[in-house]
Amino acid sequence: MSILKIAIQKSGRLSESSRKLFEECGIKITNGSGSLKVIAGNFPVEILLLRDDDIPQYVEQQVADIGIVGENTVCEKKKDVDLLDQLGFAGCRLSLAIPKDEAYTGPEFFMNKKVATSYPVLLGEYFASGNINAEIEELSGSVEIAPGIGLADAICDIVSSGSTLITNGLREVETIMKSQAVMIANRNISGDKKKILEKLLFRMRAVRNARENKYILLNAPEVAVKDICRILPGMKSPTILPLAEKGWCSLHSVVKEDEFWERIDQLREAGAEGILVIPIEKMIL
Ligand code: PRT
Ligand code: ZN
């Protein structure tokens, strides 16, 4: 019997959400204290707990069949792997930042400057594409302090809220790439392992769809139903049930999280009342 080997980050910004994703897919991972390998109780997968930087390489070499890692790491490491899905967590960006009081007019600023980063490959590509001749100082961590201690003129690092830059007297001036957690896979997965992967992806997409949608129930006069159906297309079309009160009915449908408030306003204008919105746990299309 085959087992799909999955690499996730042992501890860090990706670990908790990666574990939670498996839990939501009904896959139980027990917390092997200190162990680097965990076998799931009820699904044919084995979880390898690794440093995020090593995950692309291990997936390329098929030490792991698939892995969860930041898009920024996948792009920096340039390993030969397939990118399967974006997972919607650990959103961030790779940006250039300079001391806050320096004038900035454009990327020419970096000409003949020294820039500290843990992403020399991506930064090198960015400078090459703009014909900018800058010196890249590779650091493995604490990049933000480099300008303050005179090690570099600017930095290129991951930003999410931006507060680390502010704390260190820096200002974000260019975004090199946007990133989030992604699922990568070895290019040669076949046979039984592929079937397990397809099952896993099916579950993950159901969880993702559920997160991105809400179930909506509302009451409406029959005369308004046509307009309301246009506002709420639903998965196929809304379910319409008659109410005990004559001339009224109840509509059930699904609405996208990011369109939610706009749709609610339109529904109220069209005559909808008693609107209930309920989270969806799993959504199979
Ligand atoms: O030990 P290991 O090597 O496994 O982990 P790590 O320390 O290298 O990585 P980790 O856990 O810090 O980050 C893993 C991944 O999370 C990254 O590769 C990104 O894809 C993603 N991610 C999301 C982030 C951030 N947000 C983030 N804010 N990675 C790092 N940061 C750091 C950033 O380097 C900077 O120091 O947080 C600081 C900036 O945060 P703000 O909120 O102040 O802007
Ligand atoms: Zn790392």
Side-chain angles (χ1 to χ4, degrees):
M1 168 81 173
S2 291
I3 285 197
L4 188 76
K5 287 185 279 180
I6 307 175
I8 65 170
Q9 191 187 26
K10 182 170 168 43
S11 73
R13 288 187 165 85
L14 301 167
S15 6
E16 206 185 309
S17 301
S18 304
R19 284 167 175 266
K20 191 165 157 242
L21 184 60
F22 291 117
E23 254 166 50
E24 287 174 332
C25 290
I27 299 168
K28 291 195 181 72
I29 310 172
T30 44
N31 220 348
S33 58
S35 159
L36 296 182
K37 238 191 220 182
V38 186
I39 299 200
N42 51 350
F43 198 77
V45 293
E46 180 179 87
I47 313 284
L48 307 177
L49 303 169
L50 303 169
R51 283 200 60 195
D52 66 344
D53 316 71
D54 298 333
I55 292 175
Q57 181 181 343
Y58 284 158
V59 170
E60 184 188 65
Q61 296 170 342
Q62 213 165 10
V63 175
D65 300 299
I66 62 170
I68 294 179
V69 68
E71 241 170 329
N72 50 305
T73 308
V74 182
C75 293
E76 175 68 20
K77 299 292 175 187
K78 297 273 176 286
K79 299 295 174 191
D80 191 23
V81 295
D82 277 334
L83 206 155
L84 294 184
D85 258 351
Q86 294 185 317
L87 302 175
F89 61 85
C92 57
R93 53 198 187 271
L94 181 65
S95 290
L96 279 157
I98 64 170
K100 70 173 182 350
D101 296 327
E102 291 215 31
Y104 185 79
T105 50
E108 326 72 66
F109 172 91
F110 297 100
M111 208 68 165
N112 303 319
K113 295 257 167 58
K114 200 178 192 183
V115 185
T117 189
S118 309
Y119 294 86
V121 174
L122 290 172
L123 182 59
E125 283 174 357
Y126 174 81
F127 283 148
S129 72
N131 286 322
I132 289 161
N133 186 17
E135 188 184 340
I136 296 174
E137 177 76 31
E138 186 175 348
L139 297 179
S140 57
S142 303
V143 172
E144 308 84 19
I145 62 165
I149 59 170
L151 192 62
D153 304 302
I155 67 157
C156 172
D157 198 14
I158 298 289
V159 181
S160 60
S161 69
S163 65
T164 303
L165 293 182
I166 294 171
T167 310
N168 288 280
L170 298 168
R171 169 161 79 99
E172 189 176 358
V173 289
E174 300 287 344
T175 296
I176 290 184
M177 79 170 286
K178 288 203 171 130
S179 175
Q180 61 176 288
V182 288
M183 166 87 83
I184 54 169
N186 179 273
R187 290 206 191 274
N188 303 309
I189 300 178
S190 59
D192 287 352
K193 284 194 176 193
K194 193 137 206 173
K195 282 192 194 130
I196 303 168
L197 175 58
E198 274 157 18
K199 232 177 173 175
L200 180 66
L201 286 175
F202 173 79
R203 292 188 187 189
M204 284 188 169
R205 285 167 190 160
V207 169
R208 185 86 201 270
N209 285 333
R211 256 192 234 140
E212 290 171 357
N213 289 278
K214 299 258 182 257
Y215 193 76
I216 182 162
L217 299 97
L218 57 88
N219 295 331
E222 274 166 3
V223 288
V225 165
K226 222 169 149 193
D227 282 347
I228 289 181
C229 287
R230 246 181 262 128
I231 302 166
L232 278 185
M235 284 166 79
K236 275 215 164 66
S237 60
T239 304
I240 304 173
L241 303 166
L243 286 187
E245 190 177 331
K246 219 172 169 283
W248 280 78
C249 54
S250 164
L251 266 93
H252 300 200
S253 192
V254 167
V255 65
K256 281 202 173 311
E257 168 88 65
D258 54 2
E259 296 173 4
F260 172 73
W261 286 113
E262 194 190 331
R263 293 273 182 249
I264 296 290
D265 291 341
Q266 292 169 354
L267 289 169
R268 291 176 66 225
E269 270 167 39
E273 289 179 11
I275 304 172
L276 294 181
V277 179
I278 301 167
I280 301 172
E281 195 172 311
K282 307 280 185 292
M283 182 165 158
I284 322 291
L285 296 172

